[in-house]
Amino acid sequence: MRAEDIRRNFLSFFAERQHQVVPSASLIPADATVMFAVAGMVQFAPYFLGSPAPHPRAASIQKCMRAGGKLNDLEEVGHTPIHHTFFEMAGNFSFGDYFKPDAIRFAWDLLTGPFGIDPDRIWVTVHVSDDEAEQIWREQIGLAAAKINRLDKENFWSMGGAGPCGPSSEIFVDRGPDYGPAREQGPLDDERRYPEVWNLVFMQYTQDDDGNITGELARKGIDTGMGFERMASVLQDVPTNYDTDVFVPIMQRAEQITGARRDGPEAEQRLLKILSDHARSLTFLVADGVMPSNEGRGYVLRRILRRAVTKARLAGVTDPVLAELCKVVVDLFGSAYPEVMRERRSIVEIASLEEQRFARTLEAGLSLLQAELQTAGGVLPGQVAFRLHDTYGFPLEITQDVAKDHGIEVDQPGFEAAMLEQRERSRADTHAGKAGDVRTLDIDLPPAEFVGFEGLEADTRVLAVLQDLRAVSAAPEGQEAELVLDATPFYPEGGGQVGDRGWIQGGEGSADVLDSRRHAGVIVLRVRVTSGRLQPGDDVRAIVDPRHRAGAEQAHTATHMLHHVLRESLGEHVRQMGSLVEPGRLRFDFSHFSGLTPDQLAEIEELINTRVEDDDGVRWFETGYREAVEELGAMHFFEEKYGDVVRVVEVGDYSRELCGGTHVRQTGRIGLVKVLGEGSIGSNLRRVQALTGTDGLRWVNERLRQAERAAELARVSPEQLASGVERLLATQKDLQKALEAQERDRVQAAVEQLIPTARTAGSGRLVSARRSEDSGTLRKVAVAVRDRLDRCVVILGSAGEGGANIVAAASPSLVSEGLDVRAILRPAAAHIGGGAGGKENLASAGGRNTAGLDEALAAAAAEAEGVLSA
């Protein structure tokens, strides 16, 4: 049964039994309780906890990743036949609908029906406390008691952290005598002959992060997980998951690239397993928007990628590997997971670029590591592991992995100590002020109500007056202070948008609002009191500067539009990684693997401005977090913590993001978006900067004025500026060539004049003369004369308004005998009031005393004669 048949049979079986077939969720969970989706139930966890479920029953085949966080199988890949970083999990789910009897019956009917497994080959386990499950298996299904084993912690399931959990019943299949002799207790004695293929979890309880049961679920549910790859190995009757049709095409391509064989030595088999597994993980992570980086999910991706490259290089493979393997993965899974096919270009390019980058430092790092392993004994020093990390970009885990292949441990405490020492040095070198404002309020205040979405003015009351966030009785005229209002229309800096500015007007005083920020959940205004005094209890009118707010709103909405257009143009792997939004200007950081060409930037700018011209509506509303993310598909920061209720901002029918900032109501109010450029700010991180509204218009107009002025100087029309500049550059090039030719003629004429003046001096010849050339030409003449005469010292001097200059050059044969023209010039330099420097074969001296030039030349000539005659 092919993989595609297994998927189709599984989903159609449960669809016929009133289950809603749900597409696989992203590998990146909607909440932050786990790093990746580690099981099929992750996307359904809220429904088990009591949130209303859109369907009482569901079935899915979920993409899963166990390579980071509490559930991590990375180190096992290649060493066992069943562990993978990426895998598929088929499951059926009940949210307060059916429970144990139906769950067990469904599994039995599917296995013995569409999947065609002989009922006599099935074994199960149940939890030691679960008499009900055992009774169902015996009395309703008819399974023999001898084929039911009761276990403890092995039959209790959770998702790796706080959340729903419960006892489980695992299903095993006897693969027959080809996989070993029969065992009395089946899977308890031999997992190779009796592999687990399905786990039925009976969701009854909740637990905390430490695994403590905290109560019963209000609505009991069913969560099952059928390991797709393992079931495929059973139904296709092949020895391991790696022999199924979801791996074999990748393994075959890896064989072609590496020369390793699937039936070869164990080391070759292990290499092929690692490469094929890691290529699958890389493909699916990038397809879901993860980019290689040095933290979080991006770090896990980079570690997987580098582990694969390292293993290949250690095996002697020098050709690039991963991009080719990823192409096979895309072709293999593209029909089942359209996002993989959609992101094909990004996947292949990221794999190729990251492998190229890492390969540059890998060879040197591996040489060091291999040398250290030869003398390490049983433990590799932590300092060595840290040097590999710090200098060559080797994650500790890669060093540990390579060392493990040599039977050597890594001194991890020593590595961590070296890492801590570096961090402390870095911290000491960083100015304290750069750490950000970490001050806290010294009084308890309620969070001010933000009323700035409804309007730009509000009648309110001063709750507190602060100096350096400490309460004071009042702020007099001329003083800067911080105010906390009962209700405020001033947007506090957040989500990249700068805080509002404006004015405070009251009976006792008034102030300019310079900034608005949050401290400890409280909105604090930084103000300068312009008249009277402000004190707690004052009734005031708060007024936001409308131009400042409008400019920020233009830039903020343009940022959302830019995010959409970048994803539309470059791929869905593009995700916002940070932003700055201020009146008339935006800065947008995003994940991408290469720089943008001028044509790409121009296209992106045109697309945004087309959207601006369309004058689409912009609306915002509040809804549940899960509804916003899962049902509406709102973009959000995966690492960000969100509450149960979130604010969604929609632009037209194309952009939908979680956002707490302020926005224009129609895109046409942005006016103009002028992209200034983009560049790298880190590995796989890019930054675009742009202007909006009148700021963009001013920038364009200023450049036009500059172009018009340039056209005027070039004596062409603005439309002909480029061709006019090209003509000027061509003329300049011709003139430069003419000048260079004249210079060569001058030098040659000077050389012809000086050659006859050479005189014998001891063992060589000497040329000494005063010339009228500038210092640059003087040097060229001296070198040219030296090159025409054998065993010669040339001393030339000139004087002008800038001072006196002397140049000395000597033939290589004299220099090889110890002659140094710098020593020859030192006595001469004193006569012109300067010093000498250069090299032993070509030196110069300069000074302001032009009257002493002749004496300087004479002194240098005398010194040269003395050296040549010695």
Side-chain angles (χ1 to χ4, degrees), residues 66-67 71-85 242 266 270 273-274 277-278 303 307 311 401 404-405:
R66 292 186 180 177
L71 296 178
N72 187 349
D73 290 338
L74 180 60
E75 301 300 331
E76 303 302 322
V77 173
H79 296 281
T80 77
I82 59 174
H83 285 95
H84 312 295
T85 51
Y242 290 98
E266 183 179 345
R270 185 162 59 245
K273 290 175 183 176
I274 290 172
D277 172 273
H278 290 11
R303 179 185 169 192
R307 185 173 189 260
K311 292 293 186 181
D401 207 35
K404 180 180 178 181
D405 290 341

Side-chain angles (χ1 to χ4, degrees), residues 721-852:
L721 178 58
S723 58
V725 170
E726 288 175 351
R727 285 195 298 272
L728 288 175
L729 289 173
T731 301
Q732 181 187 37
K733 188 175 182 179
D734 292 340
L735 290 173
Q736 184 66 33
K737 288 180 179 179
L739 289 172
E740 290 172 355
Q742 291 179 1
E743 175 78 355
R744 288 193 297 271
D745 291 344
R746 284 198 302 271
V747 170
Q748 187 59 36
V751 170
E752 297 302 329
Q753 291 175 0
L754 289 170
I755 291 293
T757 68
R759 64 182 187 274
T760 302
S763 61
R765 306 183 73 186
L766 176 64
V767 173
S768 177
R770 178 169 178 159
R771 304 289 301 177
S772 60
E773 289 88 3
D774 59 74
S775 59
T777 305
L778 204 66
R779 179 181 290 262
K780 295 176 184 177
V781 172
V783 170
V785 172
R786 177 198 67 187
D787 293 345
R788 288 276 298 274
L789 300 172
D790 185 40
R791 295 181 63 78
C792 175
V793 174
V794 181
I795 302 169
L796 304 177
S798 65
E801 294 183 2
N805 294 286
I806 304 177
V807 175
S811 299
S813 57
L814 294 176
V815 173
S816 66
E817 295 172 5
L819 185 143
D820 188 337
V821 293
R822 290 172 296 189
I824 290 174
L825 286 187
R826 286 189 188 107
H831 292 285
I832 56 177
K839 298 181 179 180
E840 62 269 22
N841 65 337
L842 180 63
S844 62
R848 294 186 177 280
N849 182 19
T850 57

